[in-house]
Amino acid sequence: MSRVADKVVLVTGAGSGIGRATAKLLADEGATVIVTDINQPGGLETVQQIGGKARFLLQDTAQEADWKRIIDDILAREGRLDGLVNNAGIAGPFPSTFESETVEQWQRILSINVHGVFLGCKHGVPALRSSGGGSIVNLSSLAAFLGTPNLSAYGASKGAVRQFTKTVAIDCARKGYKVRCNSVHPGVILTPMGEGILPNDKVKERVRGSIPIGEFGAPRDIAYGILYLISDESRFVTGAELVIDGGMNAI
Ligand SMILES: NC(=O)c1ccc[n+]([C@@H]2O[C@H](COP(=O)([O-])OP(=O)(O)OC[C@H]3O[C@@H](n4cnc5c(N)ncnc54)[C@H](O)[C@@H]3O)[C@@H](O)[C@H]2O)c1
């Protein structure tokens, strides 16, 4: 299969969960994948699972210097960048209400989930433009549409990603950059992060019962949506929200 043949795609936070599944699917479909993560063993494991056409770079997406280093490295080694998946994110402790959240915790969650996505777009767009155009996918969440009383900073961060994605999409489109930007909104997906909000079997069954399709999502369910948005099949799609949640947002 070759839905993204010959594209060079950077996936952040690809040492686990949705990022790993995305990196593997993009590679299966012909892309060269740059796997980055703050977790080196996880990132190296993803590269090993892919086999060829992937390499790992250590990156903290909240740090601007890391973005400059990563983009320079890709342009020097691969000579181009066609896709960027801003996937790295954290949920923070669960539960965290707005009354219990500390300022430090709030800032840490926003620095990775929002600041990291801003930096990715700021430094990724020039590289995509210089390659003739490309596609950015930002991982938001179902949380961007709902109140999240037990994940207050996380919900605010994903709302910001949803809105900022449209800003980047429209600015790039109007300026003729040939860079598309879309957000993906997973529901409850069984990854280390997803398991973190399902502390015991009772809660797990209650949450499962609230999903219209009746089961949790798998990382690959999200990866297929990202694959579409990175591929040229979505050439007319920008500023869109792709909700992949088993129907929860439609209730
Ligand atoms: N799992 C879900 O139910 C769910 C639902 C909605 C949205 N999401 C979003 O999907 C994305 C991936 O989540 P996941 O479930 O795969 O989580 P995960 O915890 O399995 O993986 C996240 C990865 O990001 C990395 N990371 C964290 N901070 C980083 C940083 N500063 N720099 C670089 N890498 C960093 C982690 O090391 C980890 O490998 C996140 O943005 C998350 O908010 C997940």
Side-chain angles (χ1 to χ4, degrees):
M1 300 286 277
S2 55
R3 291 172 65 188
V4 285
D6 303 325
K7 289 190 188 296
V8 176
V9 186
L10 164 57
V11 184
T12 70
S16 175
I18 292 168
R20 174 176 288 167
T22 300
K24 289 168 69 173
L25 184 59
L26 288 166
D28 285 349
E29 294 289 343
T32 296
V33 183
I34 313 303
V35 168
T36 76
D37 205 294
I38 205 167
N39 170 3
Q40 180 157 353
L44 290 173
E45 171 63 23
T46 301
V47 168
Q48 196 183 10
Q49 288 185 19
I50 290 173
K53 290 183 60 177
R55 66 187 179 99
F56 171 72
L57 290 169
L58 193 61
Q59 180 188 24
D60 179 346
T61 56
Q63 302 299 325
E64 186 162 29
D66 277 21
W67 275 105
K68 289 181 179 163
R69 176 175 53 80
I70 297 294
I71 297 290
D72 286 351
D73 190 287
I74 295 170
L75 294 181
R77 291 267 306 264
E78 278 77 23
R80 58 185 299 108
L81 182 68
D82 305 293
L84 166 61
V85 184
N86 283 313
N87 167 76
I90 59 169
F94 179 84
S96 300
T97 66
F98 77 92
E99 290 171 304
S100 67
E101 198 101 58
T102 64
V103 169
E104 292 72 25
Q105 194 173 291
W106 176 275
Q107 286 176 336
R108 179 172 137 70
I109 293 167
L110 267 75
S111 77
I112 296 171
N113 293 6
V114 182
H115 198 152
V117 171
F118 152 66
L119 290 173
C121 294
K122 181 176 171 64
H123 293 283
V125 166
L128 295 165
R129 281 186 75 196
S130 72
S131 308
S135 172
I136 299 175
V137 177
N138 293 331
L139 267 292
S140 177
S141 170
L142 176 61
F145 303 101
L146 312 167
T148 52
N150 289 323
L151 285 169
S152 73
Y154 180 80
S157 75
K158 294 302 181 178
V161 169
R162 174 184 175 221
Q163 196 279 344
F164 178 64
T165 298
K166 296 180 196 305
T167 293
V168 174
I170 300 311
D171 204 6
C172 288
R174 286 191 176 147
K175 289 174 176 164
Y177 285 1
K178 299 192 189 324
V179 174
R180 298 182 293 106
C181 187
N182 295 286
S183 55
V184 168
H185 301 262
V188 187
I189 312 301
L190 292 180
T191 68
M193 182 191 288
E195 301 271 8
I197 62 163
L198 302 167
N200 57 53
D201 287 348
K202 200 173 157 205
V203 173
K204 204 166 182 173
E205 282 321 301
R206 185 167 46 75
V207 175
R208 192 200 307 272
S210 70
I211 304 172
I213 274 184
E215 56 180 288
F216 294 109
R220 212 169 168 87
D221 295 322
I222 308 305
Y224 275 112
I226 297 171
L227 169 66
Y228 164 68
L229 291 171
I230 290 292
S231 82
D232 295 336
E233 295 161 16
S234 58
R235 58 175 285 279
F236 199 53
V237 181
T238 198
E241 304 164 350
L242 180 52
V243 179
I244 307 175
D245 68 347
M248 286 180 93
N249 197 41
I251 302 171

